[in-house]
Amino acid sequence: MRSAIHNVFGDPAGVLALGDAPRPEPGPGQVRIKTILAPIHNHDLWTVRGSYGYKPGLPAIGGSEAVGTVEALGPDVSGITLGQRVAVASVHGTWAEYFLAPANGLVPVPEAISDEAAAQLIAMPFSALSLLDFLQVSEGDWIIQNTANGAVGKTLAMLAAGRGVNVVNLVRRDAGIAEMAALGIANTVSTASDGWQDRVRALTGAAPIRAAVDSIGGSASRDLMGLLGENGTLVSFGTMAGEPMQIPSGEVIFKQATVKGFWGARVSAAMPAQRRAALIGELLRLVAGGALKLPVESVFGLDRIGDAVQASLAPGKAGKVLLRP
C-alpha cells in the first residue's frame, strides 16, 4: 500500500517520502480502515523528528488520526459494519491507504459531517474540550491562550464561548485578528507590536485571569505568567519554540501559581468511558450543527508529503492540512 514513510528521525520535510508498505492485517479487537483523509498535526511532526512522548520503531508510517471506512474485522470484533465510515485518533500509521485501529476506539460519523471535518474531528477538538474541563473554570471566568489561531486554539475559543467562559486569544500576527473574527471569535490580541499586554488588561478589566494555556514555551511562558491572576494555573500544552519554559520564580511564589502539563492522549486514556462518550457526543452535535467549525487549508496526495509538511508548518493557515492516499 502507498504510505508516507520515514526510515530515520529528522526534519519531516526531508525524511518523509512516498513508499510501499505491507497492508496490515487486523488482530484481536482491531479493524482495518481504508483511509479517506488524514490530517497533519504538530505532534505528528514531532514524532517524525523523534522528539515526542511516543517514539515508533523504524521504518515508520506517519499520522495518528483519520476518517475512513471499515474494510476488515479482526477476530472477536462484532457490532461494526463493513463499509461504515468512522473517525479515529490516537492510532499510528494513518498516512497510508490502510491502517489498524482498536474497534472500541471508533467513532461512527453522521452523514451531516463532511469527510474534511471528520478527518480532524477527534484529536484536536477532543483535546480542546478535555483541556477546557482540565482548567476547571466556570462561567464568567477569564482564561488566556497563545497560538489561538491554531486548530486547538480556535476550537477552545468556540467551546469556551458556548460555556460562557471568556477567552483572551493571543496571535503572533496582526492578520490573525481578522482570521479569528471570520470564525466569530472575539477578544483576539496580536503580540506583534509593543503594548499588547496593556490591551489584554483592558479587555479583562479588573477581572483576574484564572488559567493560561501555553503552546509555545520559551519567553511566551513568562508573558502568560505575568498576566495570570493570583492562584491561577499555567498549563503547558505544547512547545512550539522548542525551548524550556521561562517562568520567573517570583511570579510563581507571590501569585501562588500552579504550573501543570497537559497531554491529551494521557488525559483521554485516564478518562472514564462514560465521560469520554459524553464529550464525543457533544463534539458531534456541535460540528454537525455548524457551531464548531473545522476549516481545511489544503489537501495533498501522499506523493506530495514534503509539500504537505511545508504547508502545515507555514504561518497564517486558515485550517488543517490533510492528506489523501
Side-chain angles (χ1 to χ4, degrees):
M1 64 176 182
R2 288 157 51 91
S3 312
I5 299 176
H6 60 106
N7 295 299
V8 296
F9 295 110
D11 177 10
V15 302
L16 283 164
L18 179 65
D20 192 27
R23 186 173 65 172
E25 294 299 327
Q30 292 183 317
V31 301
R32 183 171 66 231
I33 296 175
K34 181 179 175 63
T35 310
I36 297 173
L37 289 169
I40 297 178
H41 295 308
N42 284 337
H43 64 256
D44 295 324
L45 301 181
W46 280 109
T47 300
V48 175
R49 294 183 184 103
S51 304
Y52 195 57
Y54 161 75
K55 198 167 185 176
L58 298 174
I61 300 171
S64 58
E65 182 176 18
V67 62
T69 54
V70 178
E71 204 227 18
L73 308 180
D76 303 323
V77 173
S78 61
I80 297 173
T81 304
L82 292 175
Q84 185 176 12
R85 188 171 63 128
V86 296
V88 64
S90 298
V91 293
H92 308 302
T94 62
W95 297 349
E97 291 184 275
Y98 303 92
F99 66 93
L100 299 180
N104 61 7
L106 305 182
V107 176
V109 181
E111 289 186 8
I113 297 179
S114 69
D115 288 338
E116 289 76 10
Q120 51 178 316
L121 179 65
I122 303 174
M124 296 298 103
F126 186 77
S127 287
L129 195 53
S130 301
L131 176 58
L132 190 56
D133 277 3
F134 186 81
L135 297 178
Q136 296 183 330
V137 289
S138 305
E139 183 176 355
D141 284 345
W142 280 93
I143 64 176
I144 188 169
Q145 62 169 338
N146 53 29
T147 66
N149 52 343
V152 170
K154 291 173 181 175
T155 304
L156 180 65
M158 294 180 206
L159 293 171
R163 294 186 177 186
V165 175
N166 303 301
V167 187
V168 176
N169 300 292
L170 302 181
V171 296
R172 295 189 291 178
R173 299 173 298 106
D174 292 342
I177 297 175
E179 293 169 10
M180 299 288 277
L183 293 171
I185 299 173
N187 298 330
T188 303
V189 174
S190 170
T191 62
S193 55
D194 293 338
W196 63 267
Q197 291 95 336
D198 293 331
R199 293 194 291 277
V200 170
R201 296 185 182 98
L203 275 176
T204 61
I209 295 178
R210 301 290 185 189
V213 179
D214 178 22
S215 296
I216 300 176
S219 61
S221 306
R222 180 191 61 221
D223 292 336
L224 290 181
M225 182 60 77
L227 292 165
L228 197 63
E230 188 173 342
N231 296 310
T233 301
L234 174 64
V235 175
S236 177
F237 185 83
T239 177
M240 185 178 294
E243 302 173 3
M245 300 172 73
Q246 298 176 20
I247 303 175
S249 57
E251 295 273 13
V252 178
I253 294 168
F254 299 121
K255 289 184 176 180
Q256 295 290 282
T258 300
V259 180
K260 293 182 177 181
F262 180 91
W263 185 10
R266 183 68 56 84
V267 171
S268 177
M271 186 179 294
Q274 188 174 5
R275 181 57 181 162
R276 186 178 190 277
L279 293 181
I280 290 292
E282 182 178 349
L283 286 177
L284 290 172
R285 291 190 297 273
L286 291 170
V287 176
L292 179 58
K293 301 175 179 64
L294 300 174
V296 172
E297 171 71 18
S298 52
V299 180
F300 291 84
L302 290 177
D303 59 332
R304 297 184 60 199
I305 182 62
D307 293 335
V309 167
Q310 295 287 10
S312 181
L313 293 171
K317 298 188 304 297
K320 274 291 175 185
V321 173
L322 305 180
L323 294 170
R324 188 188 304 277

